Amino acid sequence: MDKKALEALLKDMTIEEKVMQLVQIPGSEYEADAEITGVERGQVKDNVKRLAGSTLGIWGAKRLRKIQEQYMKEHPHHIPLMFMLDVIHGHKTVLPCPLGQGAAFDPEAVRKGAEMQAREAAADGVHATFSPMADLCRDARWGRIMESTGEDKLLNSRMAAAMVEGYQGKDRKDPEHIAACVKHFAAYGAAEGGRDYNNTELSEHTLREHYLRSYGEAIKKDPAMVMTSFNSINGIPATGSTFLMKKILREEFGFQGVLISDWGAVGEMINHGYAEDMKDAALKGMLAGVDIDMCSGCYSTHLEELVNTGAVSVEMLDAAVLRVLNMKNDLGLFEDPYRGCNAETGPVITEEGRQLAREAVAASLVLLENKDKTLPLRKDKIAFIGPFADTKRLQSAWAFSGEDENTVTVWEAASEIYAPENRKVAAGCTMMDQDAVTARGICHVENWQQENDRLLAEAVRTAEWADTVVLCLGEDSTQSGEATSKASLKLPAVQRDLLRAIRKTGKKIVTLIFTGRPLELEEVRDLSDALMICWLPGTEGGHGVMDILTGKCAPSGRLPVSFPYTVGQEPLHYDVYPTGRPKPVNGPFEYTSRYLDCENGALYPFGYGLSYTDFAYSDPKLSAQKMTDAETITASITVRNTGDRRGGVTVQLYIRDVTGSRVRPVRELADFKKITLDPGTEETVSFTIKEEMLRFWTAGEKWASEPGKFLVWICNDSNDGQPLEFQLVKAKGE
Ligand code: GLC
């Protein structure tokens, strides 16, 4: 539909029709088995169901086509209903959870993965996904860290931008692409205490320099939507914040798409103590520029009255409705309301899709220890032990449209490689401790102790038979994701008991950790011969893990988030400020910024990961020792594979601004490049340092660089390398 026709449609709509375009209702209003991802607020009225502009949480080509047919018949202007769904890391072919995708440090792979997700979701009638989640996460206690790509603003920026490109493609009318939604705006990951939905207290410069960056970079890729976050920021709920939604989002980021609230977030401004009642909440949502109210009922109940009394102008209402109509029009829904639904078969999992997922799994795995080159596995007798050894539940809580039965377990993949006489499997213990609390409630197992005694005895016998034990441990997928904050990062006690028992057998132990968040792994490190993080790897989890364990692929993953010694260090991140009393690498430590009982830094730092081969690095070089804002400096290093296996390495460029009008982090990731080298070969990796990489939110309250000394590292992780120096002799605008 062209612009004039759209405006004529808007003009012809009643106020009630306009209001309902700004209302999203749960999919359960149309289908019983909808995925409910929020707090339900009772049945919606008939007129709301008949006129609501969009729904969420349902999928399926045939059933969505049927719903659309009925809806279009009944709608006075036959405006299509929009179907939205959380396709976070897979619709049918489920990829590694986003934190695992972040570990691959490969935005192009992430873009391709998002493209596949869009293709599968569109074939099931889905028009929009609530992804990418671009929240910066420095706190492993926050269960939603699993949905992020980690603690670094540059890595998150590149990943979120790649996801928007993958979901939306070049033309949103393309029925194999869907609308993207950048969330949760903003700084949801900075919840106090790591407790979900909690307040965030952030200075404007921390908000701008760290937390807003990835949303801003993703918005440059023109996503159809942005979603507000549940949290309040400095005392104002994000969903009602004109500073965030008008000044930052609309004016500074130039976002012109649809702003949708998170589930119930408009109404939750009452709980925050920011809105008097639902009518006041509806007013505050509209004044902040929230276009669609997801499932709170505030707009459907009070917005028409607010317009009739003039509290909300018709112009403001029309502007919001036009943004929603434009979004539907950009998807071609007026020409084809059944876009994507035509695929009678719906999405099918293809071999090509499985291969893409398998490669994504292998690239996501992070090898943390490999003592005496325990890995790759030799053709020994291998025992696969642990609750993750043969479970199909390898996808996150946010992959609910994927089916577990499509997942390849570690044991199933191993059974394709090892002859029956050389492989055994044993669960070893229950996944969790008795009465563990999960997002789905309390996990209670009948005869739990008796069952674990049996499982443990069987596991020890199995280990005694084997040469090597692959011990598959971790955190159940229902213990990360939304509303799963934890005050402890320990593995379940029953799993730690299993590890200690297997250690006593004296066998080689390769410990695999399946998890949606960093965990405390010091004891696991000490009792294991090899240790690898497998995240929540999804449909091709078993194959990807075995490809690495057998050496078919070399591990190349790098940590997108710091792993702590203890939860007491959280929030933990590498790009900290130096303080006035930095703790020196070697003593004396008195009167310095340190813990009496723990290291300051991470057990395993951001950017860390091992390979099966060895690399030698030349001395890093800078093409010049000074630059103006109009010039650049090339930083380079030559990497050589000195081992006997092919290997991948992510060369990282970090920069520190030594003196500024505000204190500056000890280092910040400024670029990264992933390369793969065959044995005996080398490659020179170069980075271009530009003035814009040196900018920050200055004490003058503006985004600028400042002249002075900078340090540069080209290295392997955020703890590695010796710095070089250069001077910025003239900043922009000087
Ligand atoms: C949830 C989540 C959000 C999701 C939305 C719709 O509460 O916070 O990430 O996209 O509701 O399911």
Side-chain angles (χ1 to χ4, degrees):
M1 192 185 278
D2 67 24
K3 191 167 178 295
K4 271 180 71 179
L6 220 49
E7 285 168 352
L9 168 61
L10 177 67
K11 198 155 173 264
D12 201 43
M13 290 163 72
T14 65
I15 291 208
E16 183 193 32
E17 279 184 85
K18 291 178 181 178
V19 162
M20 295 305 167
Q21 283 300 309
L22 309 186
V23 170
Q24 182 168 96
I25 60 176
S28 48
E29 293 300 322
Y30 300 99
E31 277 287 337
D33 66 345
E35 185 70 22
I36 298 302
T37 51
V39 179
E40 285 205 276
R41 287 173 172 72
Q43 198 82 13
V44 299
K45 294 196 179 99
D46 287 346
N47 69 312
V48 177
K49 183 174 171 182
R50 187 162 48 82
L51 299 174
S54 60
T55 186
L56 78 162
I58 50 179
W59 62 95
K62 292 193 175 109
R63 63 181 189 168
L64 265 52
R65 185 182 184 92
K66 209 166 108 226
I67 294 167
Q68 188 72 284
E69 273 169 349
Q70 180 65 25
Y71 177 93
M72 295 280 289
K73 266 192 208 121
E74 291 184 12
H75 195 284
H77 281 91
H78 313 298
I79 299 172
L81 176 66
M82 203 165 153
F83 297 103
M84 304 191 190
L85 183 69
D86 294 277
V87 184
I88 306 301
H89 58 102
H91 181 56
K92 292 300 169 194
T93 310
V94 180
L95 294 163
C97 66
L99 197 54
Q101 292 186 46
F105 277 74
D106 186 347
E108 178 54 15
V110 166
R111 188 195 63 75
K112 284 181 185 155
E115 205 159 49
M116 176 179 71
Q117 295 175 63
R119 196 164 42 249
E120 291 187 352
D124 246 355
V126 175
H127 299 144
T129 177
F130 297 122
S131 180
M133 185 270 215
D135 303 330
L136 183 82
C137 299
R138 294 170 160 175
D139 197 326
R141 295 172 295 180
W142 194 55
R144 302 200 76 166
I145 195 170
M146 175 277 291
E147 303 166 55
S148 80
T149 48
E151 71 184 54
D152 182 76
K153 52 190 178 291
L154 179 80
L155 181 61
N156 291 348
S157 295
R158 294 197 181 163
M159 294 308 192
M163 286 181 194
V164 173
E165 288 184 314
Y167 291 129
Q168 298 193 157
K170 300 239 181 303
D171 175 3
R172 270 180 242 164
K173 281 192 171 62
D174 172 353
E176 293 204 329
H177 285 89
I178 56 178
C181 175
V182 175
K183 71 184 187 184
H184 306 80
F185 199 72
Y188 180 29
E192 278 180 30
R195 185 156 48 81
D196 207 352
Y197 314 122
N198 204 3
N199 182 51
T200 61
E201 284 295 334
L202 289 171
S203 63
E204 183 168 350
H205 87 271
T206 297
L207 182 64
R208 286 176 175 278
E209 277 183 35
H210 296 276
Y211 285 87
L212 291 180
R213 301 284 285 280
S214 45
Y215 306 117
E217 290 307 311
I219 286 165
K220 287 177 184 171
K221 299 298 180 183
D222 189 24
M225 292 189 284
V226 166
M227 182 189 290
T228 71
S229 59
F230 288 120
N231 55 296
S232 54
I233 296 187
N234 304 330
I236 309 281
T239 303
S241 168
T242 52
F243 168 73
L244 269 186
M245 304 306 170
K246 296 280 191 185
K247 182 169 180 352
I248 301 284
L249 183 64
R250 296 289 186 190
E251 290 165 30
E252 293 187 20
F253 286 174
F255 177 62
Q256 297 178 352
V258 167
L259 179 61
I260 186 170
S261 79
D262 202 339
W263 184 302
V266 171
E268 287 172 9
M269 286 194 274
I270 303 165
N271 298 340
H272 277 289
Y274 187 70
E276 292 286 334
D277 51 27
M278 286 179 73
K279 187 166 124 184
D280 188 29
L283 176 60
K284 287 187 162 81
M286 282 299 287
L287 294 178
V290 176
D291 295 317
I292 295 179
D293 168 11
M294 184 194 290
C295 301
S296 88
C298 295
Y299 281 18
S300 54
T301 313
H302 296 287
L303 185 50
E304 186 166 354
E305 179 194 352
L306 288 167
V307 174
N308 290 337
T309 58
V312 169
S313 69
V314 174
E315 291 70 28
M316 186 185 287
L317 174 70
D318 284 356
V321 176
L322 195 54
R323 283 190 287 268
V324 173
L325 295 178
N326 277 322
M327 174 166 65
K328 294 182 175 182
N329 197 39
D330 290 348
L331 287 163
L333 288 176
F334 286 101
E335 288 75 28
D336 177 7
Y338 307 106
R339 167 192 195 280
C341 266
N342 309 334
E344 283 307 299
T345 59
V348 287
I349 293 185
T350 63
E351 271 321 297
E352 185 197 357
R354 278 191 178 272
Q355 184 54 32
L356 188 145
R358 180 170 184 159
E359 288 165 7
V361 172
S364 72
L365 307 184
V366 185
L367 183 63
L368 298 180
E369 299 288 346
N370 192 20
K371 299 166 191 167
D372 307 328
K373 296 203 182 259
T374 300
L375 287 176
L377 292 173
R378 290 155 185 79
K379 285 279 184 194
D380 291 339
K381 290 187 288 183
I382 314 280
F384 294 85
I385 295 174
F388 274 98
D390 192 24
T391 176
K392 286 191 173 288
R393 295 179 56 247
L394 294 181
Q395 53 194 40
S396 86
W398 277 113
F400 42 70
S401 54
E403 287 94 19
D404 285 350
E405 65 259 20
N406 297 323
T407 299
V408 178
T409 74
V410 173
W411 172 245
E412 287 169 342
S415 303
E416 295 169 7
I417 300 165
Y418 292 94
E421 62 272 19
N422 288 333
R423 58 181 160 84
K424 283 184 185 289
V425 66
C429 66
T430 53
M431 179 66 82
M432 291 181 269
D433 292 333
Q434 183 67 309
D435 296 332
V437 180
T438 76
R440 300 271 187 271
I442 306 276
C443 178
H444 184 84
V445 175
E446 286 311 310
N447 306 319
W448 181 84
Q449 189 55 59
Q450 192 183 341
E451 174 66 356
N452 273 290
D453 292 347
R454 180 187 69 78
L455 290 170
L456 185 61
E458 179 195 40
V460 168
R461 281 195 307 274
T462 306
E464 282 163 349
W465 161 85
D467 299 308
T468 299
V469 172
V470 175
L471 193 56
C472 306
L473 307 176
E475 180 183 71
D476 188 75
S477 59
T478 59
Q479 289 203 311
S480 59
E482 187 170 353
T484 60
S485 295
K486 291 169 94 171
S488 165
L489 298 176
K490 293 191 186 308
L491 281 170
V494 70
Q495 290 189 21
R496 284 178 276 135
D497 291 345
L498 172 62
L499 168 60
R500 291 173 195 136
I502 301 300
R503 180 71 280 166
K504 285 188 185 132
T505 67
K507 305 295 181 171
K508 283 273 186 191
I509 300 178
V510 175
T511 302
L512 305 182
I513 298 292
F514 295 81
T515 182
R517 72 170 92 214
L519 297 172
E520 289 180 12
L521 297 177
E522 200 173 6
E523 181 187 22
V524 176
R525 176 197 64 183
D526 296 343
L527 299 184
S528 303
D529 298 286
L531 172 59
M532 188 156 74
I533 305 297
C534 301
W535 313 109
L536 295 172
T539 305
E540 281 294 306
H543 280 146
V545 166
M546 288 314 298
D547 286 348
I548 295 289
L549 292 186
T550 58
K552 182 180 172 193
C553 299
S556 62
R558 296 289 181 271
L559 289 181
V561 64
S562 306
F563 274 58
Y565 285 90
T566 169
V567 68
Q569 294 178 281
E570 296 294 334
L572 180 65
H573 55 101
Y574 78 92
D575 49 352
V576 293
Y577 295 123
T579 79
R581 295 194 177 182
K583 179 185 172 189
V585 177
N586 303 308
F589 306 146
E590 289 73 17
Y591 297 109
T592 62
S593 179
R594 57 151 185 177
Y595 299 104
L596 292 179
D597 54 356
C598 182
E599 289 298 324
N600 286 1
L603 176 66
Y604 295 108
F606 173 86
Y608 179 82
L610 300 177
S611 181
Y612 286 157
T613 189
D614 299 308
F615 295 101
Y617 297 84
S618 70
D619 290 340
K621 290 190 182 63
L622 295 180
S623 60
Q625 268 56 52
K626 59 182 180 178
M627 62 182 264
T628 66
D629 62 303
E631 296 166 334
T632 61
I633 288 178
T634 301
S636 58
I637 195 166
T638 300
V639 186
R640 184 171 184 76
N641 181 342
T642 55
D644 55 5
R645 287 177 166 276
R646 187 175 161 79
V649 60
T650 298
V651 183
Q652 300 156 43
L653 175 78
Y654 293 91
I655 292 179
R656 174 180 182 178
D657 182 348
V658 177
T659 308
S661 59
R662 286 190 197 281
V663 295
R664 312 284 298 114
V666 293
R667 61 166 96 179
E668 296 175 281
L669 185 67
D671 204 347
F672 57 86
K673 276 182 190 163
K674 187 165 191 173
I675 61 171
T676 303
L677 293 172
D678 287 322
T681 63
E682 67 181 40
E683 184 176 329
T684 296
V685 176
S686 298
F687 299 100
T688 302
I689 299 173
K690 301 173 193 144
E691 179 271 337
E692 63 207 50
M693 295 158 90
L694 312 178
R695 295 177 194 167
F696 66 104
W697 190 252
T698 67
E701 305 295 311
K702 61 186 170 67
W703 196 253
S705 59
E706 294 175 345
K709 182 166 83 171
F710 289 80
L711 301 181
V712 184
W713 292 260
I714 312 177
C715 57
N716 253 327
D717 65 59
S718 57
N719 238 357
D720 182 41
Q722 290 304 317
L724 298 174
E725 270 187 35
F726 74 89
Q727 291 282 339
L728 177 68
V729 294
K730 176 181 164 299
K732 195 148 186 74
E734 268 192 323

